[in-house]
Amino acid sequence: MEELTALLHSSRRIVAFTGAGISTESGIPDFRSPGGVWTRYDPRDFTFDRYVASADVRERAWRMRREFSDAGYRPNAAHRALARLEEAGRLRGVVTQNIDGLHQLAGSSRVVEIHGTAREVMCIGAAPRAGMPAGCGFTAAHEWAIARVDDGDPDPSCPDCGGLVKSSTVSFGQVLAPDVLEDASLLAESADLMVAVGSSLVVRPAADLPLAAVQNGSRLVIVNDEPTPLDDAADLVLRGRAGEVLGPAVEELLGP
Ligand code: NAD
């Protein structure tokens, strides 16, 4: 912990890279948590192609989204610690694999969501192909779709063009938005300290970003409760829970 505080103290261009593990202390299960929502819904069922091809898959996807939205998840000490670092002018931004919006709720303003957001929905067109949404441009808050589902439409379609509507997340088999990936790469390459938190660092190309930071001269800290493939490339590895590590470290640096 002392080493972490010292690294934070000596850095002016901190960039965080976060994965599902930063939100488990808020109650959102990662893909591995036993007993979590993923024991009832298999994320591999929701590939982009299956979503496009099957009304049944879309209905199950909306039921899952409804379950998540009911839970009223709140940011935890780790999200708040990163927001404080940004407010203090030490952290340039957060690149996240998460779709839960908790960094923004905690007060972070520069957040690059490489896998999109579950807080919004979008038209993806009537028959998008090859993992590429091809919608008319319609977007709405996630609540718009949930209200339609609650009103008895289990598979809401676009009110403007009749196309399919999907959560604005990047599903398996869907292409990552090149401009978002570019934004994330530039942010990662600008870091003098990259802090990877709660990511198994196996989902690519997202997990390449911490490595890109290192190749550009940044130091790397990994905070995760299990080993990751990048541990050997890190200057410091802290095996623990994100909030319990980052919360006290940032308090030590910036005060309570
Ligand atoms: P992952 O599930 O593959 O890995 C999460 C990692 O965090 C694991 O190594 C786990 O051991 C660790 N972890 C869990 N709780 C922790 C804690 N409290 N403190 C420290 N470490 C902890 O997640 P991933 O690497 O982000 O990749 C999976 C994909 O799943 C992501 O791309 C993301 O889009 C999606 N996802 C997002 C959410 C979310 O938005 N909250 C939730 C589940 C999955």
Side-chain angles (χ1 to χ4, degrees):
M1 284 295 283
E2 276 168 25
E3 277 183 66
L4 174 58
T5 311
L7 278 170
L8 294 174
H9 184 73
S10 63
S11 306
R12 291 292 177 277
R13 301 191 312 277
I14 303 168
V15 173
F17 177 82
T18 67
I22 197 172
S23 294
T24 55
E25 286 159 84
S26 294
I28 306 179
D30 60 13
F31 283 155
R32 298 131 199 264
S33 303
V37 64
W38 300 119
T39 56
R40 272 168 292 126
Y41 298 98
D42 184 344
R44 285 163 301 191
D45 273 353
F46 301 115
T47 65
F48 189 77
D49 286 350
R50 283 189 200 169
Y51 189 91
V52 168
S54 161
D56 180 56
V57 169
R58 294 194 293 276
E59 289 176 20
R60 273 190 295 136
W62 291 122
R63 281 204 297 278
M64 178 190 70
R65 293 281 173 228
R66 153 145 276 325
E67 206 172 313
F68 273 111
S69 68
D70 277 350
Y73 300 113
R74 305 293 310 160
N76 64 52
H79 299 104
R80 289 193 296 272
L82 296 179
R84 280 195 75 194
L85 282 176
E86 184 184 13
E87 198 188 1
R90 289 175 175 271
L91 181 135
R92 288 205 157 174
V94 177
V95 178
T96 187
Q97 294 177 275
N98 295 342
I99 55 171
D100 56 34
L102 291 186
H103 286 297
Q104 292 92 329
L105 273 182
S108 286
S109 56
R110 176 100 168 89
V111 183
V112 183
E113 296 171 304
I114 47 182
H115 292 164
T117 176
R119 295 192 175 262
E120 206 180 271
V121 300
M122 64 190 283
C123 173
I124 57 169
R129 297 167 62 141
M132 295 281 283
C136 68
F138 168 79
T139 60
H142 156 81
E143 288 76 14
W144 173 90
I146 296 301
R148 273 171 187 62
V149 173
D150 287 349
D151 285 348
D153 178 0
D155 177 20
S157 53
C158 176
D160 293 345
C161 74
L164 302 174
V165 171
K166 182 183 168 300
S167 165
S168 299
T169 53
V170 178
S171 303
F172 289 105
Q174 187 174 342
V175 178
L176 267 67
D179 54 332
V180 177
L181 207 50
E182 169 78 8
D183 204 12
S185 299
L186 288 174
L187 195 55
E189 285 162 14
S190 76
D192 64 356
L193 179 67
M194 168 62 78
V195 184
V197 189
S199 173
S200 54
L201 297 174
V202 294
V203 181
R204 297 186 65 199
D208 293 338
L209 292 166
L211 212 49
V214 170
Q215 281 158 359
N216 231 39
S218 172
R219 291 166 298 174
L220 173 65
V221 173
I222 295 178
V223 181
N224 206 57
D225 67 2
E226 65 172 8
T228 80
L230 292 195
D231 285 1
D232 287 342
D235 296 86
L236 179 65
V237 176
L238 284 154
R239 193 84 67 234
R241 286 161 63 82
E244 292 169 10
V245 172
L246 284 185
V250 170
E251 282 203 0
E252 181 71 26
L253 183 74
L254 301 175

